[in-house]
């Protein structure tokens, strides 16, 4: 593995520096797989994002493991891209991990990642927790669930100003980056990876959705993540479609929402009775 310059931690009160590791050989990929093995699955341990360098036509998968304070950067397109079916001694591959329903993985708007992984590597993602859908689902009853929020809005409204990742994302202090920062409104990709923000966002949204009264919306967010994955694999799927700004229709159409809630409550009641 080729370790590049360290970043500051993405989580508050964690002293170990965060490292960025380029996975550029089968041996490095096997080492990554060994590092994933044994991670907790009761809560997500893996946070994923796509990084594209358009001028070079190169695509990377960024995989963040907060418990180990490592971001792995894996080339998945272009020359010398990695074979994601490579296995370790336990027979695990990155493909099998990404396709596992029992290993939760956190993404912001899974459609880009899903479309890319299926198109390039025939990988069908599963076990996805989509932060964009979780934010939408966690809005209270008086807020509209028709339009999804972008990452910048989620960071500004849902992460406290004391969060270290938020501060680095929005308030860069590197004078060499002022011009880029002012143009895009946040720290550039070579200074900070978006995926560093994902653990804190997941914590914020899960705290809202884990309440018993929100069980329907937690289940809906996971179900609609599966729907997004399925839709993104169609040949005619368009990542730039204006309709992608809409949330699931069943969430904002009152009639559909009420019908879905009735079915949810009925199924829940029947499950309780069967278990008695």
């Amino acid at each position: 593995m080729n370790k590049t310059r360290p970043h500051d931690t993405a989580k508050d009160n964690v002293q170990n520096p965060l490292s960025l590791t380029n996975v550029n050989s089968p041996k490095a990929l096997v080492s990554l797989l060994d590092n994933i093995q044994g991670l907790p699955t009761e809560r997500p341990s893996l946070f994923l994002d796509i990084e594209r360098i358009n001028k070079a036509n190169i695509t990377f998968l960024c995989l963040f493991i907060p418990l180990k304070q490592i971001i792995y950067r894996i080339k998945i397109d272009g020359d010398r891209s990695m074979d994601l079916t490579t296995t370790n001694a336990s027979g695990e591959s990155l493909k099998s991990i990404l396709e596992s329903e029992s290993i939760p993985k956190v993404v912001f708007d899974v459609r880009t990642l899903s479309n890319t992984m299926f198109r390039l590597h025939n990988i069908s993602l599963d076990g996805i927790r989509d932060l964009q859908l979780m934010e939408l689902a966690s809005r209270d009853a008086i807020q509209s669930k028709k339009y999804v929020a972008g990452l910048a809005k989620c960071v500004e409204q849902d992460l406290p100003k004391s969060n270290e990742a938020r501060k680095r994302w929005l308030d860069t202090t590197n004078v060499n980056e002022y011009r880029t920062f002012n143009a895009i409104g946040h720290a550039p990709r070579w200074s900070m990876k978006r995926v560093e923000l994902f653990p804190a966002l997941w914590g914020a949204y899960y705290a809202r959705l884990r309440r018993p009264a929100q069980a329907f919306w937690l289940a809906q967010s996971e179900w609609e993540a599966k729907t997004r994955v399925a839709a993104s694999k169609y040949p005619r799927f368009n990542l730039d479609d204006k309709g992608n700004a809409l949330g699931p229709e069943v969430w904002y159409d009152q009639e559909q929402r009420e019908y879905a809630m009735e079915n949810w409550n009925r199924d829940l009641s029947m499950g309780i009775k069967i278990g008695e």
Side-chain angles (χ1 to χ4, degrees):
M1 290 190 183
N2 176 29
K3 291 192 176 183
T4 62
R5 59 199 173 99
H7 293 294
D8 292 333
T9 178
K11 295 180 69 178
D12 293 335
N13 303 320
V14 177
Q15 301 301 316
N16 294 332
L18 185 121
S19 64
L20 177 64
T21 301
N22 288 318
V23 178
N24 49 23
S25 70
K27 182 179 179 180
L29 184 54
V30 169
S31 181
L32 160 60
L33 296 172
D34 291 341
N35 253 350
I36 292 176
Q37 199 164 339
L39 288 173
T41 55
E42 297 82 9
R43 296 181 139 219
S45 295
L46 304 178
F47 298 79
L48 310 174
D49 197 21
I50 282 286
E51 178 187 344
R52 284 201 174 99
I53 303 176
N54 292 327
K55 290 182 179 179
N57 196 27
I58 298 174
T59 305
F60 296 93
L61 171 66
C62 292
L63 190 156
F64 181 26
I65 306 178
L67 289 175
K68 297 182 180 292
Q69 284 295 284
I70 302 174
I71 295 176
Y72 292 97
R73 193 165 175 259
I74 308 146
K75 189 176 181 182
I76 58 173
D77 194 11
D79 295 336
R80 301 180 67 185
S81 61
M82 300 304 300
D83 179 2
L84 303 188
T85 63
T86 300
T87 58
N88 64 1
S90 300
E92 290 282 3
S93 68
L94 200 52
K95 176 179 170 67
S96 67
I97 290 168
L98 294 173
E99 292 186 332
S100 173
E101 184 177 18
S102 63
I103 301 176
K105 296 161 287 281
V106 178
V107 185
F108 189 91
D109 190 354
V110 70
R111 292 172 291 194
T112 299
L113 176 64
S114 175
N115 177 268
T116 302
M117 300 307 294
F118 185 73
R119 177 172 48 85
L120 296 178
H121 294 275
N122 196 32
I123 290 176
S124 297
L125 299 179
D126 207 344
I128 295 299
R129 310 294 186 262
D130 190 320
L131 291 169
Q132 191 176 59
L133 290 173
M134 291 180 73
E135 186 279 327
L136 189 64
S138 69
R139 295 178 191 174
D140 60 40
I142 63 172
Q143 292 178 298
S144 171
K145 288 184 169 67
K146 186 169 184 177
Y147 294 101
V148 298
L151 179 62
K153 183 175 181 181
C154 291
V155 171
E156 290 184 31
Q157 71 182 10
D158 296 319
L159 292 187
K161 292 182 178 180
S162 60
N163 179 271
E164 289 300 320
R166 182 191 192 276
K167 286 193 289 187
R168 291 179 51 237
W169 183 252
L170 295 176
D171 300 307
T172 184
T173 57
N174 188 337
V175 294
N176 296 324
E177 297 171 358
Y178 277 165
R179 181 175 297 179
T180 302
F181 181 85
N182 289 334
I184 62 179
H186 56 75
R189 60 174 170 77
W190 56 83
S191 170
M192 178 181 180
K193 304 304 179 190
R194 299 190 333 159
V195 74
E196 294 180 48
L197 298 157
F198 294 179
L201 287 172
W202 180 85
Y205 302 141
Y206 184 69
R208 299 177 193 171
L209 292 171
R210 67 182 298 185
R211 299 193 296 267
Q214 298 300 313
F216 168 79
W217 289 110
L218 178 60
Q220 277 286 303
S221 70
E222 295 178 5
W223 173 259
E224 290 297 337
K226 290 179 179 289
T227 301
R228 279 185 162 187
V229 168
S232 69
K233 295 189 292 185
Y234 284 114
R236 295 185 179 181
F237 178 74
N238 181 7
L239 289 170
D240 298 318
D241 193 306
K242 292 182 179 180
N244 291 342
L246 292 171
E249 187 175 0
V250 67
W251 291 11
Y252 60 83
D253 181 275
Q254 184 175 353
E255 184 175 346
Q256 292 187 47
R257 184 174 64 248
E258 290 176 354
Y259 180 74
M261 286 182 169
E262 287 175 7
N263 286 339
W264 161 264
N265 289 324
R266 184 182 67 248
D267 292 346
L268 188 62
S269 177
M270 289 180 63
I272 293 173
K273 289 179 180 179
I274 291 172
E276 292 176 346

